[in-house]
Amino acid sequence: MQRINLKINGQHFHLLATEHETLAHLVREKAGLTGTKIGCEEGSCGACTVLVDGKAVLSCITPALRCEGSEVTTIEALAKDGKLHRLQELFVEKGAIQCGFCTPGMVLTALSLAPSLVRGADASALTRKVKEGLSGNLCRCTGYKKIIEAVADYVKEISAGDGSEFPSFKPAHEIKGGVGTPRPYIEAEKKVRGAAEYADDIVLKNSLHCRFLRSKYPHALIEDVDVSEAIQLQGVHYIATGPEIPGKFGVLPISQDETAMAVEKVRYVGEIVAAVAADTEDIATEACRLIRVKYRPIKEFLTIEDSLNDAGGNERIHDFGKFNNNIHKKAELRFGDQQQGIKEAEYTSKMSFEFEGLSHGFTEPHAATAYWDENGLTIITATQVPHYLHRALAKVMEVPLSRVRVIKPYLGGGFGGKSDPFPHEIIVAHLSRKTGRPVRMRLSREEVFLTNHGRHPSKMTVEMGISGDGTMKVLDAGIAIDGGAYGSFGVVTSYYNGVLLQAPYKLDNFGFRTYRVYTNKPQCGAMRGHGAVNSRFAVESLIDDLALKVKMDPCELRLKNFLDSNTLTVGQYRITSNGSRESLQKVMELSGWKERIGKLKKGRGLGVACGFFISGSALPIIWNELPQSVVHLKLDFDGRVLVTSGSSDIGQGSDTMLAIIVSEVLGIGMDKIFVLAADTLLTPVDFGSYSSRVTFMAGNAAKDAALNLKTEIIAALVKKHNVPPPELNFSDDRVFTNDKNLDLSWMEAVEILTAKRGAVSVSGKYISPKLGGDFKGAGAGLSPSYSFGACIAEVDVDLETGYVKVIDIWGAHDCGKALNPLAVEGQLEGSWHMGTGQAVSEQMKYYKGMLLNNNFLEYKIPTSLDTPDIHASIIETMDPEGPFGAKEAGEGAIHPVIPAIANAIFNATGVRITRLPVSAEDVLAKMKENLPAE
């Protein structure tokens, strides 16, 4: 230990630091300034950025001792006298904040960057320089567009004057207007100040630290685990191994095949074998090194083909199933005769596709703290679905549901990757019970990659047929997906790969077969656009090929075959509102499709694709008669409406959405609403944030609750003033009759309601109507409403190297009604950015079961410099059952962008992309194949 003297945010600190201690650790753990985030611990994400003597540095790789005598500025120092810095204000105003985990680092990088930007440069040059300057900071949520706009506007403002007078800033709660008014998230200011607490920011006194020992083999029997030396290390309090927690769990009741730690054998490289609770993280890490595990490696199954085939005399990954292979699930549905349909079609196209697996890439690593007290178990954790974790903990810990509490703090992104119950959450609960102290943990970025639950690697062969006039006649798909070592959402994924192909086009002859296999790799699960992203790519590629064969414009072929509104698909999906046509027409217009298609120079191309997605599953994962979403409202004498919901805001803005709906129904400002969410003790049940369900389902529950509260107020006013209920209006913080003979302020109405009664509490709920057919598998993909959309992409392909650069994306998405257009735009831009990554750069690469690129340096998420210009259009079709007409906007937009890019590559080069991500080598090789023989 050495003493270090430095100033942090103007305050002198005299601290002890170890030789290898980072500045990030010192700032967070010793100065208590948790606005500085740790996302990677290798300087590759930028979340840890602080200023040292005015210059941006990556504090997670900066030795603290190097900062002797320096002045360190963290995000907490920017706001002065309760007023945000102008750059922070612009981040809020522009909607540049979603999950907010990257925001502190992004703001400080931008602040350091701004003075160096060329003043007086034109807008495009300034944008380019901002993109370059921010390229070391990753954002997975926003697609960077609004961040770049905020920084560029700040530079313009400081270039125009001395900075003493900036435009006035209006806090989010002061913005007037309800449904349809663009507004920042209600918590945006807290996030931009660095004051929002994420799971790893919450430190309970007397906490122990947990670290994990992980398997180095993909498939091996565990013959012995020797902890005798490790347990003797000073500061170690407990070491747990798999047999102590044998209970199996999983997000799906029909596929619970996972234990918290390996029991008897390991099934992938990185599976947890033992866990240590110790006084410090360093001691726990050292103890893990001292644990001796004796393995007996056995035959591993690393590919889809390996696992589809008979295992012979080798031990399978799991010892259940009818056959001697590693197939987890076979899903098959047939409507019509596909073989006959292919024979009768005038034009057919058949292709095989291959897709690498993907990581969600959220910037906040998994983190959790668990403790036990007189009320049972409490866990504070980064989860998308507190309800499912609540059930899993009760089951595995063998305690009643009433003795478990799950709290979700602010969450740094999820995209499906924090939907499951996870081993680390169960382990820290177990260690806390054993030690009698709180136990906390945060995964390293490598561990996040190993925990995975990302998009399945897939192989598929798909065939389509059309008539001579371009009418789609038949679609048949054979699909195999690599699920990794455990089930996760895999049974659902198996169906979604097929069933979600029956729209947005009318198809009467449709079938698919999907196999999901276990392999000795980290498990796969749900990721944005769950299940249908890869198969949608295949179908949209085939449609483009068929358009070429039938000599039709690819857009016109799609327009000819769209489903109508208020119709049923062949698999009995009920389509209500449908903005497919409007979406495609909008992107055609904005991209200049008709004027430009086929007229660009060689190497430059346009491509188009369409998609659709569910607005939440109509059927619950856990079969019961609970509503899919419940919202409670409480109104007391102070006039504030407390909204409680079990839904999880993971950066998509659901807390703000709930407040908007309640505000709209009651006619009150957002300043009179407080949202409390995702605490299983204090909030009612909601099935969580996945499958794009929250706006539709929790939103409807909030509207129902607000209407119930409105009824209570009306009843009280009718009793007091004898006015006809239809005459009462709620608007602008007042309640009044049509003739204004009764005109009350909100507080006067509240006083009448609560007189001789006290606080009034009401409940609202959403239950999906009964939908679908009665055949096996009919429930897969059923939703009370579906979103629709389209994308056109423009690419530039280097004809000498095959390198693909995505130039522009024009996207349009039918979200029913944009309750908050600023948030909807952000969701769409983020989806198209993520899809661009899958198209051109992102993949998880393995060698003998070992993940090779388990970091943000080698897993290539597009940076601000890699991201194309994105042009978002919101299409509003006013869904008849959505809250104020709204439906999903968080996942469905990703489906069309990936095939649009691939189709643009074909338009540019004549090369059909059948493997993702696109590689320059593949494009170049196929271009050479297409050259005429000499």
Side-chain angles (χ1 to χ4, degrees):
M1 285 276 191
Q2 296 182 45
R3 180 177 289 277
I4 180 173
N5 301 299
L6 72 169
K7 286 175 70 175
I8 304 177
N9 300 340
Q11 181 179 351
H12 288 278
F13 281 84
H14 308 283
L15 301 169
L16 292 176
T18 64
E19 182 181 0
H20 301 292
E21 186 168 1
T22 65
L23 179 59
H25 187 271
L26 183 139
V27 164
R28 286 178 56 85
E29 304 298 328
K30 294 180 179 176
L33 298 168
T34 57
T36 302
K37 305 303 181 190
I38 297 178
C40 67
E41 297 176 288
E42 57 193 11
S44 57
C45 77
C48 67
T49 303
V50 300
L51 304 183
V52 177
D53 298 326
K55 295 182 179 180
V57 303
L58 299 168
S59 66
C60 77
I61 56 171
T62 300
L65 293 177
R66 273 196 200 168
C67 299
E68 169 69 34
S70 295
E71 184 158 349
V72 177
T73 304
T74 73
I75 191 68
E76 288 90 345
L78 264 60
K80 302 292 186 184
D81 301 321
K83 178 178 169 54
L84 294 179
H85 186 281
R86 180 57 184 158
L87 181 58
Q88 292 174 306
E89 291 179 346
L90 284 165
F91 265 66
V92 173
E93 289 175 348
K94 295 289 183 179
I97 303 163
Q98 288 190 28
C99 85
F101 193 82
C102 75
T103 301
M106 195 76 72
V107 168
L108 287 167
T109 298
L111 189 64
S112 175
L113 168 71
S116 68
L117 297 180
V118 177
R119 302 190 178 204
D122 62 57
S124 62
L126 176 58
T127 297
R128 184 170 61 253
K129 288 180 177 292
V130 172
K131 284 185 173 184
E132 291 172 355
L134 296 179
S135 60
N137 290 68
L138 290 180
C139 176
R140 192 57 153 171
C141 296
T142 67
Y144 301 106
K145 181 177 180 179
K146 298 187 188 314
I147 293 172
I148 293 165
E149 289 174 352
V151 178
D153 280 6
Y154 175 69
V155 172
K156 292 173 188 175
E157 289 185 9
I158 63 174
S159 299
D162 61 7
S164 60
E165 290 189 13
F166 289 123
S168 62
F169 171 71
K170 184 174 287 188
H173 67 269
E174 293 182 8
I175 295 174
K176 300 295 183 184
V179 166
T181 301
R183 61 172 63 248
Y185 292 171
I186 55 178
E187 77 283 0
E189 289 187 45
K190 185 181 288 187
K191 288 177 175 176
V192 83
R193 289 174 182 269
E197 289 192 314
Y198 298 79
D200 190 45
D201 300 335
I202 299 168
V203 181
L204 303 181
K205 62 182 181 181
N206 203 32
S207 292
L208 298 174
H209 295 258
C210 173
R211 297 299 296 163
F212 305 115
L213 177 68
R214 296 176 179 271
S215 168
K216 59 183 180 181
Y217 294 101
H219 203 194
L221 302 177
I222 299 173
E223 295 188 335
D224 184 55
V225 180
D226 182 359
V227 302
S228 58
E229 185 177 0
I231 197 68
Q232 298 301 317
L233 187 65
Q234 186 173 355
V236 171
H237 290 259
Y238 196 83
I239 300 176
T241 57
E244 295 179 34
I245 328 173
K248 292 189 175 182
F249 66 94
V251 68
L252 303 180
I254 59 173
S255 183
Q256 298 198 340
D257 54 11
E258 189 171 6
T259 52
M261 290 179 280
V263 178
E264 297 181 352
K265 72 172 182 175
V266 294
R267 293 178 171 87
Y268 66 92
V269 174
E271 183 163 16
I272 299 172
V273 176
V276 177
D279 286 335
T280 69
E281 193 172 328
D282 288 343
I283 294 172
T285 300
E286 178 60 25
C288 286
R289 293 194 189 102
L290 297 175
I291 298 171
R292 303 288 177 252
V293 183
K294 184 178 180 183
Y295 297 100
R296 179 157 60 88
I298 56 179
K299 159 72 177 175
E300 67 271 15
F301 301 86
L302 300 176
T303 68
I304 290 174
E305 292 77 13
D306 282 346
S307 290
L308 285 171
N309 293 332
D310 190 280
N314 298 300
E315 182 171 327
R316 292 181 294 161
I317 297 172
H318 294 278
D319 59 355
F320 55 79
K322 297 178 182 178
F323 305 104
N324 189 38
N325 55 34
N326 288 294
I327 293 174
H328 173 215
K329 175 64 180 179
K330 174 189 172 184
E332 184 171 13
L333 287 174
R334 302 282 171 189
F335 305 96
D337 186 333
Q338 286 77 60
Q339 290 185 350
Q340 186 63 31
I342 293 294
K343 290 178 183 178
E344 294 174 356
E346 293 178 63
Y347 297 94
T348 63
S349 180
K350 182 178 183 179
M351 298 184 203
S352 295
F353 300 86
E354 186 170 353
F355 306 87
E356 298 289 353
L358 296 183
S359 169
H360 307 89
F362 41 74
T363 50
E364 178 205 21
H366 297 276
T369 299
Y371 64 92
W372 296 76
D373 61 15
E374 70 278 8
N375 296 305
L377 168 65
T378 297
I379 186 167
I380 303 164
T381 183
T383 178
Q384 292 179 229
V385 191
H387 178 63
Y388 295 155
L389 177 58
H390 185 176
R391 288 179 176 273
L393 285 168
K395 178 179 184 286
V396 179
M397 293 289 100
E398 298 181 332
V399 295
L401 286 164
S402 60
R403 301 289 291 172
V404 176
R405 180 185 183 186
V406 179
I407 301 171
K408 178 208 74 75
Y410 288 100
L411 195 78
F415 315 110
K418 295 173 182 173
S419 298
D420 297 68
F422 284 93
H424 62 263
E425 293 166 322
I426 293 168
I427 292 169
V428 293
H430 175 70
L431 290 174
S432 177
R433 181 157 63 178
K434 286 292 185 180
T435 61
R437 290 170 61 177
V439 176
R440 64 193 304 254
M441 53 67 59
R442 171 178 46 82
L443 296 185
S444 68
R445 181 53 57 180
E446 178 183 3
E447 289 178 303
V448 173
F449 274 97
L450 293 175
T451 300
N452 195 22
H453 292 72
R455 196 166 334 276
H456 290 63
S458 307
K459 293 183 177 182
M460 59 187 70
T461 299
V462 186
E463 189 169 15
M464 286 189 74
I466 63 174
S467 66
D469 67 355
T471 302
M472 294 181 187
K473 291 296 186 180
V474 61
L475 169 61
D476 191 14
I479 303 165
I481 61 176
D482 180 345
Y486 294 102
S488 185
F489 280 90
V491 173
V492 176
T493 315
S494 303
Y495 276 104
Y496 278 11
N497 264 270
V499 294
L500 292 181
L501 296 178
Q502 59 185 287
Y505 312 107
K506 182 173 174 58
L507 276 166
D508 293 328
N509 191 343
F510 161 70
F512 74 92
R513 178 188 297 125
T514 302
Y515 290 102
R516 183 186 193 263
V517 299
Y518 290 118
T519 60
N520 291 117
K521 289 183 287 190
Q523 64 183 295
C524 299
M527 184 173 168
R528 194 177 215 161
H530 180 200
V533 171
N534 293 343
S535 51
R536 174 57 50 197
F537 178 92
V539 167
E540 294 294 323
S541 300
L542 291 177
I543 292 172
D544 247 46
D545 188 52
L546 288 166
L548 187 68
K549 291 179 177 180
V550 79
K551 297 180 180 179
M552 284 183 70
D553 181 294
C555 289
E556 295 301 329
L557 179 58
R558 289 171 169 86
L559 287 166
K560 179 181 178 64
N561 286 280
F562 281 140
L563 286 161
D564 294 325
S565 302
N566 303 309
T567 189
L568 288 176
T569 70
V570 66
Q572 298 188 41
Y573 286 3
R574 184 196 66 169
I575 306 300
T576 52
S577 60
N578 181 350
S580 294
R581 188 171 304 278
E582 296 92 329
S583 296
L584 183 51
Q585 289 171 339
K586 174 59 73 172
V587 294
M588 289 173 68
E589 172 196 340
L590 295 179
S591 65
W593 174 271
K594 289 184 178 180
E595 297 78 23
R596 302 174 64 218
I597 187 66
K599 300 175 183 177
L600 302 178
K601 67 177 183 178
K602 183 72 172 175
R604 193 89 170 199
L606 293 171
V608 64
C610 299
F612 93 119
F613 199 58
I614 62 177
S615 293
S617 174
L619 299 179
I621 284 176
I622 299 171
W623 287 86
N624 56 48
E625 295 187 4
L626 284 172
Q628 279 133 318
S629 188
V630 176
V631 171
H632 292 168
L633 304 183
K634 187 191 80 170
L635 176 57
D636 210 339
F637 74 99
D638 58 4
R640 176 182 282 191
V641 178
L642 173 64
V643 182
T644 58
S645 167
S647 63
S648 293
D649 194 321
I650 61 176
Q652 83 281 37
S654 62
D655 286 357
T656 305
M657 176 272 298
L658 295 172
I660 288 171
I661 288 175
V662 173
S663 167
E664 181 76 18
V665 173
L666 298 178
I668 57 176
M670 299 279 279
D671 59 318
K672 294 180 174 61
I673 295 173
F674 185 97
V675 179
L676 173 65
D679 180 328
T680 59
L681 177 66
L682 303 179
T683 62
V685 170
D686 182 277
F687 291 162
S689 293
Y690 64 96
S691 294
S692 277
R693 58 178 301 283
V694 179
T695 292
F696 198 94
M697 296 185 174
N700 265 319
K703 185 180 179 185
D704 184 42
L707 288 170
N708 290 337
L709 181 56
K710 188 175 183 179
T711 298
E712 292 279 351
I713 297 170
I714 289 172
L717 296 182
V718 167
K719 183 177 179 181
K720 176 79 171 178
H721 291 284
N722 194 29
V723 293
E727 288 283 309
L728 288 168
N729 302 282
F730 290 65
S731 181
D732 295 325
D733 293 333
R734 303 194 72 80
V735 183
F736 53 90
T737 55
N738 291 335
D739 58 12
K740 292 293 184 78
N741 284 335
L742 179 67
D743 188 356
L744 303 173
S745 69
W746 173 253
M747 289 304 299
E748 289 171 330
V750 170
E751 187 176 345
I752 293 170
L753 173 67
T754 56
K756 300 182 180 179
R757 180 178 181 182
V760 175
S761 295
V762 299
S763 182
K765 64 182 183 298
Y766 177 77
I767 301 174
S768 175
K770 181 172 171 49
L771 300 168
D774 56 5
F775 51 89
K776 183 180 179 182
L782 280 181
S783 180
S785 183
Y786 298 89
S787 68
F788 298 85
C791 281
I792 287 176
E794 182 169 354
V795 302
D796 190 8
V797 182
D798 187 316
L799 298 177
E800 293 186 355
T801 66
Y803 173 73
V804 175
K805 182 173 179 60
V806 185
I807 305 299
D808 281 285
I809 292 169
W810 295 271
H813 188 78
D814 164 27
C815 66
K817 172 66 179 178
L819 301 178
N820 181 359
L822 191 65
V824 171
E825 282 181 1
Q827 288 295 290
L828 302 182
E829 290 158 4
S831 286
W832 295 325
H833 163 263
M834 186 177 284
T836 302
Q838 177 168 357
V840 300
S841 61
E842 294 185 37
Q843 59 181 321
M844 297 176 73
K845 296 298 292 181
Y846 291 89
Y847 176 72
K848 295 185 178 180
M850 180 179 294
L851 181 61
L852 300 178
N853 58 332
N854 51 22
N855 56 75
F856 281 153
L857 290 171
E858 296 169 294
Y859 184 86
K860 301 296 186 180
I861 293 174
T863 69
S864 54
L865 203 54
D866 305 316
T867 303
D869 289 338
I870 297 174
H871 316 274
S873 295
I874 296 171
I875 305 299
E876 296 186 321
T877 55
M878 298 303 294
D879 191 86
E881 295 182 20
F884 298 103
K887 52 187 181 180
E888 86 85 29
E891 297 188 64
I894 196 174
H895 290 116
V897 68
I898 309 171
I901 291 170
N903 289 336
I905 294 170
F906 179 84
N907 182 246
T909 64
V911 168
R912 182 64 66 190
I913 300 300
T914 57
R915 181 187 179 110
L916 291 182
V918 177
S919 71
E921 295 83 358
D922 190 26
V923 173
L924 190 61
K926 288 186 175 182
M927 282 196 294
K928 289 180 178 178
E929 290 173 7
N930 291 344
L931 291 174
E934 294 184 1

